Amino acid sequence: MTHVKDRLIFEESVAGRRGVKFPKNEFGASFAAPEALAPAAHPFLPEVSELDVVRHYTRLSQRTFGVDTGFYPLGSCTMKYNPRLTDAAAALAGLAFIHPSQPPETVPGAIEMLAELSEWLCEVTGMDEYALQPAAGAQGEFSGMLVFRKYFDHIGEPGRNIMIVPDSAHGTNPASANVAGFKVVEIKSDERGLTDPAAVKVVIEKFGAESIAGIMLTNPNTLGLFETHILEIANLLHGAGALLYYDGANLNALLGIVRPGDTGFDLMHLNTHKSFSTPHGGGGPGAGPIGVKAKLAPFLPGALFKRVGDEFNVVYPEHSIGRVKSWWGNFLVLVRAYAYLIHHGAPGLKRISENAIINANYVQSRLKGYYDIPYFAHCMHEFVASAETLKRDFNVSAKDIDKKLLEEGFHAPTTYFPLIVHEALMIEPTETESKETLDAFCDTMIGFIARIKENADEFRKLNPLKLQIVHPDETKAARQLVPRWFPVGTEPSADKAESKKTTEA
């Protein structure tokens, strides 16, 4: 029998059990669905009591790991503490209960807020215009690529189809460019882990300037290093008639210090849920506004929110790529960003990045000498260590380190990314953690080394009483994914076959 703590809500179902009893229909009218809309079969819904539901979902919430429960140094994800102040702002009835279909003239306060947020994002990033509609970073990237495509079509240069992407880029960069119809050309980082202008020049010469659409850069890059050649690269691309895209996932290192728009970038996306509050992870919601220089503004997606004199209006770009999400985007995520910016102000934003950089360099310095750090240098908000030596000498992998950290109460760093670092452990402490927390993490990481040298086999063992999942068969989970549940004997034929394979395996 499956222990109650491991059962699905469907497996807790008992025929006839109810959590809610609805009053009898006292009006005499029939509320039955029209026959054409009636379901063909009774849905498989669990029959459980209110207490069953409360305990089930409370138990699930306690089995997860979040910023509110422990240190979460997941590199490039900026899993920092989100002040409850912004949640309180998003919960205000006047904002939370706006219907997305309300005419703009009925919600002037919301329009004003979105217009001011757009202006502030321009001020922070050095861009001229912002579209707030994209729902997350990856959608912002894809929208940006569509803007590039439409811009080149509009100016009569549809043949620009080469998008340059460094080998340290986030995986969504080449994916977004490819889906938008560009051919991705990868360039290798130099020996310091930076984008090499010479490599960019080779691509321009090989394919011809008239074929180059642009480059997608993250700065600081995914090694946590500031791209020191960015002005030279911008001159090369602009000289070829191409554009520069800025991946804003790592903006937490630059707030109040460097504006991407001042360093040659023509378009960028923001992850407001990383840099400007909103709990994220586990599927969102997020927001991925894209900002552009003036010449790209006519191609932005969705509605824009503009200040005209003393009024605030909704306008639609003349050559827009169209909507990329329903209505105006994830409105309440944007409310959180607005509240976060008010709360910190310009001096506070700069302190955020300064503290994020200090914390990352502190942790890097403490772990240096215990772990490989292939591109050791003054880092920005994150750095990448490696377990390559541990793997070679003791057969202890980056994944083993990650699992052990989870067992010790710390979330694992990003593992096996960026791909140019073997056995990578990408660590981003963020600005919200105390020195005591950072020291506890470093002490634990350093303590692992002695335990590994003493008995590596024993180190790799995990305590199932501390971890909900110990060593899953990841290949089987990926190849035999069974995301749905049906009562035994009622599975559709395809699911029966899959269930049979899983059981036999």
Side-chain angles (χ1 to χ4, degrees), residues 173-493:
N173 286 183
S176 298
N178 183 271
V179 175
F182 293 106
K183 177 183 178 181
V184 175
V185 176
E186 182 181 277
I187 56 173
K188 291 189 179 302
S189 303
D190 66 14
E191 67 280 0
R192 295 187 300 157
L194 303 176
T195 303
D196 187 354
V200 175
K201 194 172 181 181
V202 167
V203 175
I204 295 173
E205 291 174 351
K206 178 179 179 180
F207 292 94
E210 70 283 0
S211 298
I212 308 299
I215 190 169
M216 300 182 81
L217 276 180
T218 307
N219 192 23
N221 63 26
T222 59
L223 294 168
L225 303 175
F226 188 86
E227 292 283 2
T228 54
H229 301 299
I230 186 59
L231 295 179
E232 187 177 353
I233 292 170
N235 287 335
L236 278 172
L237 271 297
H238 286 158
L243 301 171
L244 278 78
Y245 181 94
Y246 179 86
D247 179 334
N250 289 350
L251 189 70
N252 215 50
L254 301 186
L255 298 174
I257 300 174
V258 175
R259 304 196 313 171
D262 294 341
T263 60
F265 288 97
D266 301 286
L267 188 152
M268 66 177 292
H269 86 263
L270 285 169
N271 299 78
T272 64
H273 47 288
K274 291 183 180 180
S275 305
F276 303 128
S277 191
T278 289
H280 74 289
I290 57 175
V292 296
K293 289 297 188 182
K295 67 179 180 182
L296 297 179
F299 309 96
L300 283 169
L304 307 182
F305 305 93
K306 307 273 290 185
R307 183 197 300 265
V308 181
D310 295 331
E311 295 184 352
F312 297 91
N313 298 324
V314 180
V315 300
Y316 292 88
E318 183 180 4
H319 306 294
S320 174
I321 62 170
R323 286 180 177 271
V324 295
K325 191 182 185 309
S326 56
W327 293 297
W328 298 346
N330 281 331
F331 175 67
L332 294 178
V333 175
L334 300 171
V335 171
R336 287 181 172 89
Y338 183 82
Y340 190 82
L341 288 168
I342 289 178
H343 175 59
H344 285 283
L349 291 181
K350 187 177 182 184
R351 279 198 300 275
I352 286 171
S353 289
E354 290 172 342
N355 289 334
I357 293 170
I358 289 171
N359 282 358
N361 278 278
Y362 178 71
V363 174
Q364 180 180 236
S365 296
R366 283 212 58 191
L367 296 186
K368 185 175 184 290
Y370 296 96
Y371 291 83
D372 303 321
I373 302 180
Y375 296 95
F376 182 80
H378 179 88
C379 68
M380 298 298 284
H381 66 308
E382 64 188 7
F383 67 97
V384 180
S386 167
E388 187 170 18
T389 299
L390 295 175
K391 176 71 173 176
R392 182 194 65 210
D393 295 346
F394 301 99
N395 196 29
V396 171
S397 66
K399 186 171 73 172
D400 293 324
I401 299 294
D402 276 3
K403 288 287 186 182
K404 214 63 177 179
L405 281 170
L406 286 165
E407 188 178 278
E408 296 292 336
F410 300 100
H411 196 279
T414 296
T415 310
Y416 301 116
F417 183 80
L419 301 179
I420 58 176
V421 175
H422 295 159
E423 299 293 330
L425 294 161
M426 182 195 282
I427 299 170
E428 181 181 358
T430 81
E431 76 281 5
T432 58
E433 300 295 339
S434 67
K435 182 175 181 297
E436 290 76 15
T437 298
L438 301 183
D439 280 333
F441 174 76
C442 292
D443 291 344
T444 301
M445 288 282 285
I446 293 169
F448 285 170
I449 302 299
R451 293 169 62 183
I452 291 168
K453 290 180 177 177
E454 181 180 348
N455 190 331
D457 291 336
E458 192 64 28
F459 177 83
R460 283 192 296 272
K461 294 179 182 176
L462 297 173
N463 185 346
L465 296 179
K466 290 187 175 180
L467 293 177
Q468 297 296 336
I469 300 174
V470 182
H471 286 299
D473 185 336
E474 294 171 350
T475 303
K476 179 180 175 182
R479 294 185 175 181
Q480 298 182 13
L481 183 65
V482 184
R484 295 178 295 173
W485 179 88
F486 291 95
V488 175
T490 65
E491 305 100 315
S493 55

Side-chain angles (χ1 to χ4, degrees), residues 38-49:
H42 193 280
F44 296 124
L45 297 176
E47 298 180 80
V48 291
S49 69

Side-chain angles (χ1 to χ4, degrees), residues 76-92:
S76 258
C77 288
T78 312
M79 300 296 291
K80 63 184 183 181
Y81 174 73
N82 292 277
R84 293 297 180 268
L85 174 69
T86 62
D87 284 346
L92 291 172

Side-chain angles (χ1 to χ4, degrees), residues 1-148:
M1 178 180 176
T2 306
H3 191 277
V4 64
K5 75 174 186 178
D6 296 321
R7 291 200 309 224
L8 303 175
I9 188 71
F10 297 95
E11 295 172 312
E12 303 212 24
S13 179
V14 175
R17 183 166 293 170
R18 294 285 186 275
V20 177
K21 290 183 178 179
F22 294 100
K24 291 182 178 179
N25 177 9
E26 298 177 352
F27 301 98
S30 172
F31 293 99
E35 187 174 346
L37 300 178
H42 193 280
F44 296 124
L45 297 176
E47 298 180 80
V48 291
S49 69
E50 179 177 321
L51 181 56
D52 292 333
V53 173
V54 169
R55 284 180 174 169
H56 178 78
Y57 286 103
T58 301
R59 189 164 57 244
L60 288 181
S61 72
Q62 293 170 338
R63 292 176 64 173
T64 190
F65 193 105
V67 173
D68 290 347
T69 57
F71 185 42
Y72 208 131
L74 196 67
S76 258
C77 288
T78 312
M79 300 296 291
K80 63 184 183 181
Y81 174 73
N82 292 277
R84 293 297 180 268
L85 174 69
T86 62
D87 284 346
L92 291 172
L95 299 171
F97 296 118
I98 293 176
H99 193 284
S101 292
Q102 277 187 239
E105 58 270 24
T106 67
V107 285
I111 304 299
E112 179 176 348
M113 187 204 71
L114 294 173
E116 289 189 340
L117 176 61
S118 301
E119 293 173 353
W120 295 348
L121 295 181
C122 287
E123 179 64 26
V124 169
T125 62
M127 292 294 168
D128 297 323
E129 196 70 76
Y130 259 89
L132 306 177
Q133 195 175 60
Q139 194 184 33
E141 285 182 28
F142 178 59
S143 302
M145 289 296 97
L146 294 180
V147 168
F148 273 19

